Amino acid sequence: MDDVFRALADASRRRLLDDLNRQDGQSLRELCTGLDMTRQSVSKHLAVLAAANLVTTVRRGREKLHYLNPVPINAVAERWIDRYDRERVRALADLRTALEREPMDSPTFVYTTYVNTTPERLWAALTEPEFTRRYWGGVALRSDWRVGSPVLWQDEPGGEFRDLGQRVLVAEPFRRLSYSWHGFQPEHAAHFGWSAEELAARLGERRSRVTFDIAPYGGFVKLTVTHEDFSPGSEMYRAVSGQLDGSGGWPELLASLKSLLETGEPLPEPRPESATAQG
């Protein structure tokens, strides 16, 4: 947390975070636009933000795209904002989580966390049904994890494994896993309180894809989740990023995964009243 506050102490770095909050996934060239700084200076500021885990980079061809990472900002919120009266910490008002971003034409959700585990164990947590069931809220994922194979969902123990159209795109054990994402299902309408017309509109969204990149990081493992290729104005993007009422999205699920691997227990299920407040 000290690294986070040191990174935020500079006005130029705060402006870069604000720029990413308004439009995530920008290149160095795009971030330099409108700044009275040299490209080298902007690059140095981004390096400080990356060292504090406030910015995550993803390479796309020859370009390196920068994304605002909400993990340390959420930690600041839990440590300082939630514990004390919000009116007394207005100096932190510019800290926006990734959950408050404005919709973009082609939104991409990127989330980085560091887990005290091994790449092998993290891979097992992503691919073994009995592992996924514990932190996915009872959902088990099953596949042979070969490119082109289906990723099947089981909603409860003993239930039928369903094919929701998800397919394995990349499977490099202990390094990278990617698969296409499911569309909305009829049960989502009841969960989110959608009308038949609203559900019909959301069923027309194209399939997105999620990628898990795993890399050793000292005694920890760096896990970067990139969820992309959403339709413009996608409700699925809002759901996976936790912006949709009743959905904790990837931030909640990955926090539960981290807790399971580090403590042996996933996050507890939220009580109904707290779930409503979080929505």
Side-chain angles (χ1 to χ4, degrees):
M1 195 169 291
D2 289 344
D3 290 339
V4 173
F5 280 109
R6 278 193 289 268
L8 293 172
D10 185 272
S12 296
R13 291 195 283 270
R14 293 197 299 271
R15 180 172 176 179
L16 287 170
L17 291 178
D18 285 339
D19 286 345
L20 290 175
N21 187 48
R22 282 189 291 270
Q23 181 180 340
D24 220 354
Q26 296 188 60
S27 65
L28 176 59
R29 173 182 53 79
E30 291 170 321
L31 288 170
C32 288
T33 303
L35 292 178
D36 188 21
M37 283 189 289
T38 65
R39 185 184 179 95
Q40 184 179 18
S41 296
V42 175
S43 182
K44 288 181 178 180
H45 283 308
L46 288 171
V48 174
L49 292 170
N53 201 23
L54 288 163
V55 167
T56 295
T57 59
V58 175
R59 187 165 291 281
R60 289 289 182 270
R62 295 183 178 181
E63 282 193 316
K64 183 187 291 184
L65 303 183
H66 301 79
Y67 292 88
L68 179 63
N69 183 32
V71 178
I73 295 176
N74 288 340
V76 168
E78 291 174 1
R79 171 63 177 85
W80 294 101
I81 298 177
D82 292 344
R83 182 174 296 186
Y84 300 105
D85 179 49
R86 290 178 180 268
E87 294 302 315
R88 297 173 61 188
V89 288
R90 285 187 175 178
L92 301 178
D94 285 341
L95 298 181
R96 298 285 193 266
T97 67
L99 314 184
E100 297 173 325
R101 298 174 196 151
E102 295 179 359
M104 296 175 288
D105 288 342
S106 300
T108 296
F109 179 82
V110 178
Y111 193 101
T112 298
T113 188
Y114 297 84
V115 188
N116 188 5
T117 189
T118 64
E120 293 79 9
R121 195 156 179 259
L122 181 51
W123 180 266
L126 294 173
T127 60
E128 294 181 7
E130 293 309 315
F131 233 136
T132 61
R133 191 190 309 282
R134 295 198 63 193
Y135 66 92
W136 276 76
V139 173
L141 302 183
R142 187 179 73 186
S143 178
D144 62 13
W145 302 111
R146 297 177 181 176
V147 173
S149 293
V151 180
L152 305 178
W153 282 57
Q154 184 189 53
D155 295 326
E156 57 185 20
E160 178 186 358
F161 275 92
R162 297 189 295 159
D163 185 350
L164 303 182
Q166 299 186 186
R167 295 295 181 268
V168 179
L169 303 175
V170 179
E172 300 174 8
F174 322 132
R175 293 184 55 218
R176 169 174 272 208
L177 178 67
S178 180
Y179 48 84
S180 57
W181 194 246
H182 63 77
F184 284 114
Q185 305 299 312
E187 56 265 29
H188 289 119
H191 180 77
F192 294 118
W194 294 335
S195 66
E197 293 76 14
E198 288 173 323
L199 175 61
R202 278 140 200 172
L203 291 177
E205 292 188 17
R206 66 171 177 252
R207 288 189 179 275
S208 55
R209 67 177 180 270
V210 62
T211 301
F212 304 86
D213 285 301
I214 302 168
Y217 191 87
F220 287 71
V221 176
K222 178 182 179 181
L223 172 63
T224 299
V225 178
T226 305
H227 202 145
E228 58 195 331
D229 201 24
F230 296 95
S231 295
S234 170
E235 283 295 296
M236 184 61 78
Y237 169 77
R238 295 185 62 222
V240 301
S241 60
Q243 297 182 51
L244 203 58
D245 286 354
S247 171
W250 284 119
E252 182 179 287
L253 190 146
L254 294 171
S256 190
L257 166 62
K258 176 179 170 68
S259 176
L260 176 61
L261 289 172
E262 294 184 343
T263 71
E265 294 294 332
L267 293 181
E269 290 290 327
R271 293 174 297 178
E273 63 270 22
S274 63
T276 302
Q278 291 173 357

